[in-house]
Amino acid sequence: MSVLLTGGAGYIGSHTAVSMIEAGEKVVVADNLSNASYESLRRVQELTGAEIPFYQLDLRDERAMNGMFERENIESVIHFAGLKAVGESVEKPLLYYRNNLDSTLTLLEVMERYGVRNIVFSSSATVYLDGNAPFSENSPLGCACPYGWTKFMIEQILRDAAATGKLSAVLLRYFNPVGAHPSGRIGEDPSGVPANLMPYISQTASGKREKLTVFGNDYPTRDGTGERDYLHVCDLAEGHVAALRYCREHPGAEVFNLGRGQGVTVLELIEAWNRANAMTIPYVIGSRRDGDIAVSYAIADKAKALLGWEARRSVEDMCRDAWNWQKQNPNGYEL
Ligand code: NAD
Ligand code: WQD
């Protein structure tokens, strides 16, 4: 019996593959490689010694999906596949709705056809309505971009599908995953200029970017810069192992925040990086970025109580591991 990781060649999927294999699971990966490289999976196999059946397919391709479910003995699915760039989703909303919704619907239809009942879904803290942090799973919802709405809509689709009694769904709202596997063999490999803070800091550290621009220092936070709940990607990966265990044992749909439950400002993250890696990241203060909110962090109690999961790694661990990956792979997976 195997666990299918859709989008498993990507950043979070590849780290989760390692944790799942370490937990004794067999994994199969399906990915169209639109935002990933097969090299990540080659390295996961190297790190774990496991063989991972890989299907380069688009989840919307029902024939290819049927073929995979026919060949593999799939028992559960962790559904990472999707487009995730906030800015791009504003420019190309139809691309985002088409890709993220259609791939989920096709996946669910094929799962039903093959009697696969368990799904863990990658949702996002971006579904929370601004202004109510810290967010609990019951905080009001509302999204600021099409990407976020795709997560909101897919959550609803999964709740409705689970209400029929034919599906068990766990919806994971990730906060800000950062860092890399401590080996430095797998990590985050953004294409082009990074939109997110941690990869931008990494590339500034390596000299690829001249300096970091801090987007605004006039927010109502400790030091005026944006506050987020950064979470080590390996903690997040382990959260999926716990979530899948829960999913198998609990029919219906349940939602969990996965975060550390602590807000860290942009300046605090820069300081943590400097401490962890004995360097000084050059930065300037710029204006606010459109669409940014001041504060986002989790109340993470529910995951601890019901999944038995909590993040163990520190902000310094995240910075050290991000730098280790960046140093070893200045051009990401491009060999
Ligand atoms: P990623 O882009 O590295 O991984 C997503 C993978 O899905 C990629 O490998 C891509 O090639 C694949 N994919 C996209 N559309 C596909 C399709 N139609 N068919 C097959 N494969 C397809 O992103 P990630 O950071 O690993 O994120 C994984 C999931 O977690 C995404 O759903 C994302 O929205 C969600 N998420 C990410 C973050 C974050 O900060 N990284 C935060 C919250 C939620
Ligand atoms: C963090 C902080 C910026 C870059 C995004 C998505 C969200 C989720 C995770 C998927 C903010 C500041 C950033 C820079 C900066 N993804 N910043 N200079 O915006 O919290 O979340 O990724 O679901 O949906 O919106 O993360 O890393 O972009 O920003 O000052 O060059 O760093 O203003 O305060 P964000 P981020």
Side-chain angles (χ1 to χ4, degrees):
M1 302 287 259
S2 298
V3 180
L4 170 64
L5 309 185
T6 75
Y11 171 47
I12 300 169
S14 55
H15 289 80
T16 302
V18 172
S19 293
M20 295 294 294
I21 292 165
E22 283 172 351
E25 304 276 359
K26 278 173 72 178
V27 305
V28 171
V29 168
D31 198 304
N32 65 3
L33 301 183
S34 59
N35 193 40
S37 149
Y38 180 72
E39 178 62 14
S40 64
L41 289 179
R42 205 191 60 69
R43 295 187 186 185
V44 170
Q45 295 178 90
E46 176 193 282
L47 283 171
T48 59
E51 210 176 293
I52 302 177
F54 173 64
Y55 292 81
Q56 183 172 353
L57 56 76
D58 194 296
L59 259 64
R60 293 169 292 175
D61 181 344
E62 196 176 338
R63 272 173 59 113
M65 290 286 279
N66 281 333
M68 175 175 65
F69 275 75
E70 201 60 58
R71 275 182 71 138
E72 303 292 339
N73 192 4
I74 293 166
E75 169 265 341
S76 297
V77 177
I78 306 185
H79 182 32
F80 300 100
L83 299 175
K84 64 161 184 177
V86 170
E88 187 185 47
S89 82
V90 174
E91 282 157 29
K92 302 175 183 170
L94 300 184
L95 174 71
Y96 272 65
Y97 287 114
R98 178 64 81 192
N99 187 76
N100 292 1
L101 296 180
D102 270 6
S103 55
T104 303
L105 291 169
T106 305
L107 171 67
L108 290 173
E109 285 167 356
V110 176
M111 285 174 66
E112 186 172 23
R113 185 168 307 131
Y114 286 88
V116 180
R117 297 180 56 92
N118 307 317
I119 184 165
V120 174
F121 172 60
S122 303
S123 188
S124 169
T126 194
V127 298
Y128 289 118
L129 188 65
D130 182 18
N132 300 292
F135 299 116
S136 85
E137 289 80 357
N138 297 323
S139 292
L141 303 182
C143 308
C145 68
Y147 163 70
W149 285 115
T150 69
K151 295 298 182 193
F152 179 97
M153 290 175 190
I154 294 168
E155 284 198 5
Q156 189 59 40
I157 291 169
L158 289 170
R159 276 194 208 91
D160 291 341
T164 65
K166 291 186 196 159
L167 193 75
S168 170
V170 171
L171 320 175
L172 299 178
R173 294 183 183 147
Y174 312 155
F175 278 71
N176 288 59
V178 297
H181 191 269
S183 65
R185 295 296 288 154
I186 56 172
E188 187 170 12
D189 182 17
S191 52
V193 180
N196 296 117
L197 179 59
M198 189 65 121
Y200 204 102
I201 292 178
S202 302
Q203 293 194 7
T204 306
S206 75
K208 210 166 171 180
R209 312 278 158 209
E210 190 194 332
K211 57 181 181 303
L212 172 75
T213 301
V214 176
F215 295 145
N217 66 349
D218 56 353
Y219 285 106
T221 61
R222 285 184 288 285
D223 57 25
T225 66
E227 197 175 322
R228 296 291 184 274
D229 191 338
Y230 299 99
L231 168 71
H232 197 297
V233 67
C234 293
D235 278 328
L236 180 60
E238 289 164 9
H240 289 80
V241 176
L244 181 58
R245 196 179 306 129
Y246 183 93
C247 184
R248 285 172 172 149
E249 291 166 2
H250 297 83
E254 202 67 63
V255 57
F256 295 97
N257 284 340
L258 293 187
R260 289 173 78 246
Q262 277 175 37
V264 173
T265 68
V266 177
L267 294 182
E268 286 167 350
L269 188 68
I270 298 171
E271 283 159 22
W273 179 285
N274 290 345
R275 258 196 321 274
N277 297 317
M279 61 172 73
T280 304
I281 295 292
Y283 70 87
V284 292
I285 305 290
S287 48
R288 290 182 177 195
R289 179 172 66 179
D290 268 0
D292 267 354
I293 65 175
V295 181
S296 167
Y297 65 97
I299 296 174
D301 300 351
K302 186 176 173 186
K304 188 174 176 190
L306 298 190
L307 302 180
W309 171 89
E310 68 183 317
R312 298 184 287 127
R313 294 159 178 89
S314 68
V315 177
E316 275 79 9
D317 292 336
M318 303 173 205
C319 294
R320 186 200 57 229
D321 292 339
W323 179 225
N324 189 35
W325 153 256
Q326 178 70 35
K327 263 188 310 195
Q328 290 187 44
N329 307 274
N331 299 313
Y333 289 115
E334 211 172 274
L335 299 173

